[in-house]
Amino acid sequence: MKQMHGLDVDPLTDIAICCGQSEAFAAAIFAIINPGDEVILFDPSYETYETCIKMAGGVPVYVSLDPPHWNLGRDKLMMSFTLRTKAIVLNSPHNPTGKVFTKDELEIIAGACRARDCLAVTDEVYELITYDNEEHISLASLPEMQNRTIITSSLSKTFSVTGWRIGWAIAPACFASAIRNIHIKVTDSAPAPFQEAALVALTSPPEYFESLRKDYESKRNYIVELLLRVGFQLHMKPKGSFFVFAELPASCILSDIEFVEELIKQAGVVAVPGCGFFHTNQSSEKFSQAAFSYQKKYIRFAFCKSDATLYSAAEKLAQLCDAEGPLKLMYSGE
C-alpha cells in the first residue's frame, strides 16, 4: 500500500484478510451500515453490491453514469445525497464498462464524502490491470480520505487465481476490527496455504505486472477490433479490467437478452446481457423512460481467455456476419 498508493497502513490493526474481495466487501458493508442507511452506487454496477447492502438493511441509491463514455456528473451525484446517506461505493477500474475513474471524478467523489461526512467503500480488484498508460488512483490516497475509506481487493484478478479466495479489506483500525469480527463469525479464516502462496505472489517483480498488463492489453485490442468489425458500437476502449461493454449495432432489433440467446444458439459464443448491471429506478428519476433505453442495448464480453478461445470466438462471429449467415435475422433492413 505504501509503494502503490503512498498510504501508511498498520498491518496489525488496519487489515482484515478475507475469503476473496466478495467477502471483504460484504463484511465491510455489514460493519458500517445500519437499517435505513442509504448507500450511493454508480450505475451500471457489479450486481453483488446491491445484495450486500440490502442484506445489511441498507437502501441502495443509484447515480447513473452518462453513456457512452460513462462520465460522472457532479450535480447528479450531489442531488443523490440525503440526511440518511452513509457511504459511497466506488469500483475503479470499473466492471462492466472498463472505465477508470479520472482524477477529476475522484476529486468530486472525495469532495462529496468530506462535505457530507460520508464513508467510501472501494472495490479495487483490477487496480493493476490498466491500459494506454492509464494509472489507477485509489480514492483513499486523496486528501483526508484514508480515514474515511475502506479499500477492498484481492489476489484473484492480478494473479488469475479466482478460486483461491484470498482478499482483504484495508481501513482505519475501528472499521477493520469490525470487519474482522464479522469475517471470523462467517468464514473464520481464509485458506491458510493460499495465504502463504499470496505472500510469494505479492513479492513478484515489476516485470510480472507489466507482462500481465501487456498481455491483457493485446487481448483487449484484439476483441475490440473484432467487435467493431462485426458491427458493434464501441465509443471507448476499456481503460482497465478485462471486459468490453459493447453497444449492439444500431440496426439490431433484439434486446440484449435476446441477442445473447441468439449468439449462444447460432455461434456457441457466450456474453452477459448488460441489463443485469443496470439498477436505476426509472420511475424515480426525473427523466423519461426513453432516456434509459440504452439499458437494454449493451452486452459484456470478457477477454480474460486463452488466445485459442478468442480466435475461435472470432471465427464463429465472422461466420455469422457473412451476408448469407443467420446473424442477418437480428437486424432490421440489413
Side-chain angles (χ1 to χ4, degrees):
M1 296 305 294
K2 181 68 173 179
Q3 180 181 348
M4 290 179 59
H5 305 301
L7 298 175
D8 291 311
V9 173
D10 187 331
L12 298 180
T13 62
D14 301 350
I15 300 175
I17 305 301
C18 300
C19 294
Q21 184 277 336
S22 295
E23 191 208 3
F25 180 86
I29 292 297
F30 297 159
I32 65 172
I33 298 303
N34 295 314
D37 287 344
E38 294 181 356
V39 182
I40 295 173
L41 304 104
F42 300 114
D43 209 48
S45 71
Y46 187 53
E47 58 268 30
T48 61
Y49 303 150
E50 178 181 72
T51 303
C52 293
I53 292 165
K54 288 183 174 180
M55 288 174 65
V59 180
V61 175
Y62 283 95
V63 175
S64 56
L65 300 174
D66 296 328
H69 299 285
W70 310 108
N71 297 321
L72 171 62
R74 183 185 185 280
D75 291 343
K76 194 183 296 186
L77 173 61
M78 298 310 297
M79 288 174 58
S80 69
F81 281 88
T82 73
L83 295 176
R84 296 186 298 276
T85 303
K86 184 70 170 290
I88 293 179
V89 172
L90 173 65
N91 169 215
S92 181
H94 185 250
N95 177 10
T97 68
K99 169 188 174 66
V100 174
F101 280 71
T102 66
K103 181 68 178 298
D104 288 344
E105 290 173 324
L106 295 177
E107 291 284 6
I108 291 172
I109 296 168
C113 288
R114 292 190 295 262
R116 299 286 188 151
D117 192 22
C118 182
L119 300 175
V121 182
T122 67
D123 175 354
E124 303 184 31
V125 294
Y126 302 104
E127 59 191 342
L128 290 169
I129 304 176
T130 60
Y131 314 116
D132 304 325
N133 297 316
E134 194 81 26
E135 288 191 13
H136 165 69
I137 301 172
S138 178
L139 187 67
S141 68
L142 272 59
E144 301 178 41
M145 285 305 295
Q146 186 175 357
N147 66 344
R148 63 173 70 248
T149 301
I150 300 173
I151 299 170
T152 67
S153 192
S154 81
L155 212 68
S156 298
K157 307 303 189 294
T158 305
F159 297 97
S160 305
V161 289
T162 53
W164 284 17
R165 311 317 302 154
I166 300 294
W168 50 84
I170 299 176
C174 59
F175 298 130
S177 176
I179 292 168
R180 275 195 302 273
N181 190 43
I182 292 167
H183 160 68
I184 290 170
K185 301 298 189 297
V186 174
T187 61
D188 188 65
S189 175
F194 295 154
Q195 290 195 52
E196 295 291 342
L199 293 174
V200 177
L202 290 169
T203 59
S204 298
E207 291 79 12
Y208 166 76
F209 301 103
E210 181 62 18
S211 174
L212 177 80
R213 187 195 63 77
K214 286 184 176 179
D215 184 42
Y216 275 135
E217 188 166 14
S218 175
K219 294 177 187 294
R220 178 206 63 170
N221 293 341
Y222 181 81
I223 195 72
V224 164
E225 291 170 7
L226 166 65
L227 294 175
L228 286 172
R229 194 161 61 245
V230 300
F232 283 90
Q233 301 181 80
L234 291 171
H235 303 280
M236 57 166 267
K237 277 187 176 181
K239 296 292 186 179
S241 80
F242 40 60
F243 302 112
V244 177
F245 207 46
E247 186 176 1
L248 294 175
S251 57
C252 181
I253 60 176
L254 303 181
S255 70
D256 55 343
I257 293 177
E258 293 167 337
F259 191 96
V260 166
E261 289 177 343
E262 289 301 314
L263 203 57
I264 294 170
K265 293 174 184 177
Q266 296 183 25
V269 175
V270 181
V272 178
C275 63
F277 299 99
F278 291 106
H279 307 80
T280 306
N281 185 349
Q282 297 180 5
S283 62
S284 66
E285 291 273 357
K286 298 178 180 178
F287 302 97
S288 67
Q289 294 277 337
F292 293 97
S293 60
Y294 63 83
Q295 294 188 359
K296 295 183 179 181
K297 290 297 181 181
Y298 284 86
I299 60 176
R300 191 194 73 175
F301 291 90
F303 54 84
C304 50
K305 309 293 179 183
S306 68
D307 289 344
T309 297
L310 294 179
Y311 295 156
S312 176
E315 290 179 356
K316 292 177 179 180
L317 287 173
Q319 291 172 4
L320 284 182
C321 287
D322 184 274
E324 301 302 320
L327 191 64
K328 65 182 180 180
L329 300 177
M330 301 185 188
Y331 301 90
S332 60
E334 294 193 9

